[in-house]
Amino acid sequence: MSDQSIRSPQTVTRTARTRGVDEEAYLEVTDLQVQFPTADGMVKAVQGLSYSLPLGRTLAIVGESGSGKSVSSMAVMGLHDARTARISGSIKVGGRQIVGLSEKELESYRGKDSAMIFQDPQSSLHPYFTIGDQIMEGYRTHNNVSRSKAKARAIEMLDRVGIPNPRRRVDNYPHEFSGGMRQRAMIAMALVNDPKLLIADEPTTALDVTVQAQILDLISDLQRDFGSAVVFITHDLGVVAEIADDILVMYAGNAIEHGPVDKILGTPLHPYTWGLLESIPALAGEPQPLHPIPGTPPSLLAVPSGCAFHPRCEFRGRVPGDLCTTLRPELIPRTGDQGRASRCHLKEPDHVFQSEILPRLP
Ligand code: SF4
């Protein structure tokens, strides 16, 4: 099966249109491939990924480690080293092609048109420079302003992200901030140039639950105020329910399910998404047995034939013949169902979900 089947930018753009949201896709990823040559062979980290995202919406990209969610988002940011990564396909941000830009062009793009918040502010903030200096640096790189104007902007941003006493705190070093405050400072750094595209890579994983909720609220508020497009990378479906408009579930370097958050969390169509839902422990009521997904994610050096999920899928016996092991399913949009799409050979997955999976969800 060729990758042609998953090149569906028209489908994805139509998805946004059918929902009556902002018509224009600000971020448009088409047939993205990211590969890393290694001594053991070619690591196929992303294989023909397509999606789009309009301004004002949040897309959660969900999947286990090695699913390609972070690697694909780093490609959107132009963060891969051209000497070690092979990138093909198209990534358009505000209509501008990112694939193939020079390092100099990428420097002017990063932090201005797009910005990224990382998981671990401790290692992303430089310990020898004040918080204010680090916010100011990003601002002055893209704006020809004096130091005092940049400092005023840093104070404004710290205030905007809820740091108390920003005039005093702007001169603090990272070690003088708590974990939650450091993450807020990272968000201030990311947003200092009003980027239209924000990518947040597991930004709350290292934080305790209360601070996590505050940071999620902050990102939602800021998105509303700035009108940005947000890509939120996470493995936590609880977080997704809080923050996302749409979900893209990734497995072994590709999208296996895509659609509005209420649809994907309410009636998912793909056995892998079912497995993710079944792996979430219940927070209330009687303790329920968990149903973790058996096995481990595949090596990206040797992705299984046919459906990449087939070695772990308890439903492959329901599909006639050897389709699951020999034929890669297409990402098929469901007609009249708000543009949701799933990559699975199983017939009537909604019925299977309602009758078999739903009753055993925690
Ligand atoms: Fe399971 Fe087959 Fe669907 Fe893959 S295509 S998820 S193996 S039923």
Side-chain angles (χ1 to χ4, degrees), residues 119-123 125 131 158 161-164 169 172-187 203 206-208 210-212 214-215:
Q119 183 181 129
D120 181 9
Q122 181 77 31
S123 57
L125 290 167
I131 296 287
L158 287 178
V161 299
I163 299 289
R169 288 297 201 165
N172 282 175
Y173 288 87
H175 74 267
E176 296 174 275
F177 273 32
S178 67
M181 285 168 70
R182 280 196 288 268
Q183 195 53 288
R184 285 171 190 268
M186 286 289 296
I187 295 171
L207 305 172
D208 69 49
T210 317
V211 181
Q212 179 174 329
Q214 291 169 359
I215 296 292

Side-chain angles (χ1 to χ4, degrees), residues 53-91:
L53 180 62
L55 291 174
R57 284 186 84 82
T58 297
L59 172 72
I61 303 185
V62 181
E64 293 164 289
S65 299
S67 61
K69 54 192 195 308
S70 291
V71 171
S72 58
S73 300
M74 284 175 70
V76 172
M77 288 298 298
L79 284 171
H80 290 298
D81 187 334
R83 292 165 300 183
T84 55
R86 292 194 190 154
I87 300 176
S88 63
S90 166
I91 299 169

Side-chain angles (χ1 to χ4, degrees), residues 270-271 307 309-310 313 315-316 319 324 329 343-346:
H270 197 283
C307 170
F309 186 57
H310 83 253
C313 182
F315 295 93
R316 70 173 194 254
V319 175
C324 290
R343 188 189 293 279
C344 177
H345 294 305
L346 196 61

Side-chain angles (χ1 to χ4, degrees), residues 245-319:
D245 298 302
D246 302 285
I247 301 180
L248 181 79
V249 184
M250 287 192 73
Y251 188 79
N254 220 321
I256 51 104
E257 185 155 16
H258 184 199
V261 67
D262 54 332
K263 295 274 180 181
I264 303 284
L265 295 184
T267 50
L269 301 176
H270 197 283
Y272 176 64
T273 317
W274 299 343
L276 291 179
L277 284 174
E278 286 185 276
S279 309
I280 304 174
L283 288 177
E286 287 292 305
Q288 302 277 340
L290 292 181
H291 292 269
I293 303 171
T296 53
S299 161
L300 298 174
L301 282 164
V303 176
S305 60
C307 170
F309 186 57
H310 83 253
R312 305 173 72 188
C313 182
E314 68 174 275
F315 295 93
R316 70 173 194 254
R318 312 263 184 107
V319 175

Side-chain angles (χ1 to χ4, degrees), residues 107-251:
E107 273 169 22
S108 81
Y109 155 75
R110 282 193 295 258
K112 185 166 184 287
D113 302 315
S114 67
M116 192 157 182
I117 306 168
F118 295 94
Q119 183 181 129
D120 181 9
Q122 181 77 31
S123 57
S124 302
L125 290 167
H126 199 297
Y128 295 161
F129 294 96
T130 66
I131 296 287
D133 279 339
Q134 295 183 62
I135 299 173
M136 287 158 61
E137 186 190 352
Y139 191 55
R140 294 187 81 191
T141 300
H142 297 289
N143 299 278
N144 186 17
V145 294
S146 65
R147 207 181 140 72
S148 62
K149 275 214 166 112
K151 186 160 187 178
R153 175 69 173 170
I155 293 168
E156 180 192 338
M157 290 308 298
L158 287 178
D159 187 39
R160 186 70 195 78
V161 299
I163 299 289
N165 300 318
R167 281 181 190 287
R168 181 168 64 79
R169 288 297 201 165
V170 75
D171 293 320
N172 282 175
Y173 288 87
H175 74 267
E176 296 174 275
F177 273 32
S178 67
M181 285 168 70
R182 280 196 288 268
Q183 195 53 288
R184 285 171 190 268
M186 286 289 296
I187 295 171
M189 277 170 68
L191 296 181
V192 71
N193 293 307
D194 296 339
K196 287 282 178 223
L197 172 63
L198 179 66
I199 297 180
D201 189 354
E202 308 254 16
T204 57
T205 304
L207 305 172
D208 69 49
V209 182
T210 317
V211 181
Q212 179 174 329
Q214 291 169 359
I215 296 292
L216 291 179
D217 283 348
L218 175 63
I219 292 174
S220 292
D221 288 351
L222 293 171
Q223 187 208 27
R224 248 192 322 275
D225 295 352
F226 287 83
S228 329
V230 175
V231 175
F232 199 98
I233 302 166
T234 182
H235 63 273
D236 184 340
L237 287 178
V239 166
V240 169
E242 288 285 315
I243 199 158
D245 298 302
D246 302 285
I247 301 180
L248 181 79
V249 184
M250 287 192 73
Y251 188 79

